Amino acid sequence: MVTAVGNARRAWHIAEQVPDPELPMLTLADLGVLRGVEVGADGTVVARLTPTYSGCPAMAEMRADVAARLRGAGYTRVEIRTVLDPPWTSDWITAEGRRKLTEHGIAPPGAAPRRAAGPVPLVLTPTRRTVPCPRCGATDTEETSRFSATSCKALHRCRACREPFEYVKEI
Ligand SMILES: [Zn+2]
């Protein structure tokens, strides 16, 4: 007989392995997007997700992916809830997630800017910080484009090794 806690843990492990559509080397657990998974007395699985970057179209895909995996694992009643408060910050990306980004040549975000209380601004505030090159570690890098293939990443170039690299913006 599976205990409620054991069952919730199993459901968590299934849900947490869903990759992020925009940063596929990261799982929802690495991103800190998966806030919780509970299994109700009637067997309904409730997974709570917090969307990442404002307007990221990836959220719909993540929701569908989590639901599909849980159904595939035998949970017939699945509910995905979106949690907007507290809002996601790039600080929630785990150490493991940052390691994976660097391993893939993508610079992880620095410390997120402090947020004022109240409504979350819908713009990504421009930040001025040194982004070390994920390949050679040099700090002599420049931003070549504020937006990369996806809005959550910027494009940089290393002046030391001359390699372009993507960088996940902090928010
Ligand atoms: Zn470099």
Side-chain angles (χ1 to χ4, degrees), residues 70-152:
L70 287 167
R71 289 202 185 94
Y75 295 98
T76 47
R77 276 187 279 192
V78 178
E79 207 180 295
I80 311 290
R81 288 192 196 147
T82 305
V83 182
L84 298 173
D85 190 30
W88 183 86
T89 145
S90 47
D91 285 348
W92 291 3
I93 299 177
T94 62
E96 171 72 0
R98 287 162 199 273
R99 193 190 58 75
K100 287 183 191 170
L101 284 173
T102 308
E103 206 178 88
H104 284 79
I106 299 174
R114 283 175 61 91
R115 270 199 200 110
V120 184
L122 288 173
V123 289
L124 295 168
T125 49
T127 48
R128 292 280 172 269
R129 62 177 285 268
T130 307
V131 180
C133 171
R135 290 195 174 82
C136 72
T139 50
D140 187 14
T141 65
E142 62 182 347
E143 183 177 285
T144 50
S145 171
R146 190 68 200 141
F147 294 97
S148 172
T150 61
S151 60
C152 56

Side-chain angles (χ1 to χ4, degrees), residues 5-80:
V5 172
N7 200 12
R9 195 172 292 144
R10 175 173 174 261
W12 167 275
H13 284 309
I14 292 156
E16 73 168 358
Q17 284 161 31
V18 170
D20 177 60
E22 297 195 344
L23 299 166
M25 71 292 292
L26 299 187
T27 64
L28 298 191
D30 294 330
L31 271 172
V33 159
L34 188 63
R35 304 309 298 159
V37 178
E38 285 96 39
V39 182
D42 63 351
T44 303
V45 181
V46 178
R48 289 177 287 117
L49 304 180
T50 297
T52 57
Y53 299 85
S54 302
C56 233
M59 189 59 187
E61 209 174 313
M62 287 183 197
R63 292 171 59 100
D65 250 22
V66 170
R69 287 207 188 200
L70 287 167
R71 289 202 185 94
Y75 295 98
T76 47
R77 276 187 279 192
V78 178
E79 207 180 295
I80 311 290

